[in-house]
């Protein structure tokens, strides 16, 4: 038996990657008026067409976490990894659910990040669990990965992000960066603006330069390239990473619809961690 790893869909793990790592993903929710759908039930194209009519998002309910944890538990405990508590109440909900589960050891950890970066933390925990390590060591592996992981992304503009209200100051950045491609980093539970770029190619080079500056001799690279209706740009970004360094882990995935609802289409991001 091994420790079970559970996360929310903000981790944006491709289904095949989550299945191979034996990770349980609990969907978040998107609501359009009186209609609510689980994250992933609508394509990004469908979500994008509905955004102008208004929407709201929410995390899984306590009951959904209880059900997922109970089903995933193999007898050695369960580690639940959530997106940053600075962006969602999902962490608090998961902690509430953990107290409702009977007969299982459950630990809940705020990864302090989201999307591909959260996914890399989840995969680090799953890899440790696969070795048969106890719950405490799996949690320690996740904490270490959370401290190491980086996520830098770019958008065509900040309109959706500013309107979402999820990122303080985004409206002010939008005004300053008119006609520029915003570049920002999500680290330590916060979104931090980086110098904007003129055009998507320049923004991609800015992301690569930020990544390259963090190289660690003798370390293994784990990388996730995320996109929102721009898979070609994501594939190009991964190819450019591989020209410089061959990752031990690499995948291209779509940002979850719940996240894209707040950012809008055209989002491309690079998440990575150096393991040493």
């Amino acid at each position: 038996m091994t420790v079970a790893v559970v996360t929310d869909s903000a981790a944006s793990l491709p289904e095949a990657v989550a299945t191979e790592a034996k990770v349980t993903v609990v969907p978040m929710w998107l609501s359009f008026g009186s209609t609510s759908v689980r994250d992933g039930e609508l394509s990004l194209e469908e979500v994008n067409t509905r955004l102008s009519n208004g929407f709201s998002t929410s995390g899984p309910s306590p009951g959904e976490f209880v059900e997922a944890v109970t089903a995933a538990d193999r007898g050695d405990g369960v580690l639940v990894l959530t997106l940053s508590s600075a962006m969602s109440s999902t962490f608090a909900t998961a902690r509430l659910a953990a107290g409702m589960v009977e007969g299982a050891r459950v630990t809940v950890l705020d990864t302090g990040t989201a999307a591909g970066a959260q996914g890399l933390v989840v995969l680090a925990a799953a890899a440790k669990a696969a070795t048969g390590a106890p719950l405490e060591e799996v949690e320690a592996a996740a904490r270490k990965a959370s401290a190491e992981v980086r996520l830098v992304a770019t958008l065509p503009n900040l309109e959706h992000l500013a309107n979402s209200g999820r990122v303080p100051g985004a409206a002010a950045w939008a005004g300053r960066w008119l006609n520029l491609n915003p570049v920002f980093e999500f680290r330590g539970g916060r979104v931090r603006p980086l110098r904007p770029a003129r055009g998507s190619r320049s923004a991609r080079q800015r992301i690569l330069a930020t990544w390259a500056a963090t190289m660690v001799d003798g370390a293994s690279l784990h990388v996730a390239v995320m996109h929102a209706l721009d898979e070609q740009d994501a594939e190009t970004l991964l190819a450019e990473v591989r020209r410089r360094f061959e990752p031990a882990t690499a995948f291209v995935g779509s940002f979850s619809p719940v996240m894209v609802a707040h950012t809008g289409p055209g989002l491309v991001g690079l998440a990575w961690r150096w393991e040493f």
Side-chain angles (χ1 to χ4, degrees), residues 86-232:
M87 299 191 73
S88 168
S89 62
T90 302
F91 171 67
T93 301
R95 289 189 66 184
L96 175 63
M100 299 165 60
V101 177
E102 297 182 0
R105 295 175 61 212
V106 184
T107 298
V108 182
L109 178 65
D110 174 2
T111 66
T113 189
Q118 180 184 345
L120 291 178
V121 174
V122 172
L123 293 181
K128 189 67 175 181
T131 69
L135 180 58
E136 293 78 10
E137 291 184 15
V138 176
E139 179 189 3
R143 287 188 181 278
K144 180 176 182 291
S146 293
E148 295 168 344
V149 78
R150 304 278 296 270
L151 170 60
V152 179
T154 184
L155 279 164
N157 61 70
L158 283 168
E159 178 184 355
H160 284 85
L161 198 60
N163 291 339
S164 77
R166 292 297 181 100
V167 179
W173 307 344
R176 292 200 305 269
W177 295 349
L178 196 62
N179 299 322
L180 294 174
N181 285 61
V183 181
F184 56 91
E185 180 175 14
F186 190 33
R187 191 180 186 197
R190 293 179 55 198
V191 175
R192 308 166 193 268
L194 302 178
R195 187 159 55 92
R198 293 192 179 278
S200 60
R201 179 176 175 77
S202 177
R204 191 169 67 238
Q205 293 304 316
R206 188 75 45 77
I207 291 173
L208 282 167
T210 304
W211 162 73
T214 69
M215 284 188 181
V216 179
D217 289 340
S220 296
L221 173 65
H222 304 276
V223 64
V225 186
M226 312 302 297
H227 69 91
L229 302 178
D230 200 349
E231 185 173 1
Q232 182 57 54

Side-chain angles (χ1 to χ4, degrees), residues 15-112:
E15 184 177 353
V17 174
T19 299
E20 183 178 358
K22 297 181 172 58
V23 171
T24 298
V25 179
V26 188
M28 300 183 76
W29 288 87
L30 261 170
S31 296
F32 304 95
S34 60
T35 302
S36 294
V37 296
R38 288 182 175 87
D39 205 4
E41 288 184 342
L42 294 179
S43 68
L44 284 182
E45 290 85 354
E46 291 175 296
V47 169
N48 190 47
T49 62
R50 299 190 186 196
L51 293 181
S52 60
N53 297 322
F55 68 93
S56 62
T57 61
S58 59
S61 69
E64 288 171 313
F65 269 121
V66 169
E67 182 178 351
V69 166
T70 302
D73 182 34
R74 308 180 189 105
D76 283 345
V78 181
L79 178 63
V80 181
L81 299 165
T82 74
L83 80 160
S84 171
S85 59
M87 299 191 73
S88 168
S89 62
T90 302
F91 171 67
T93 301
R95 289 189 66 184
L96 175 63
M100 299 165 60
V101 177
E102 297 182 0
R105 295 175 61 212
V106 184
T107 298
V108 182
L109 178 65
D110 174 2
T111 66

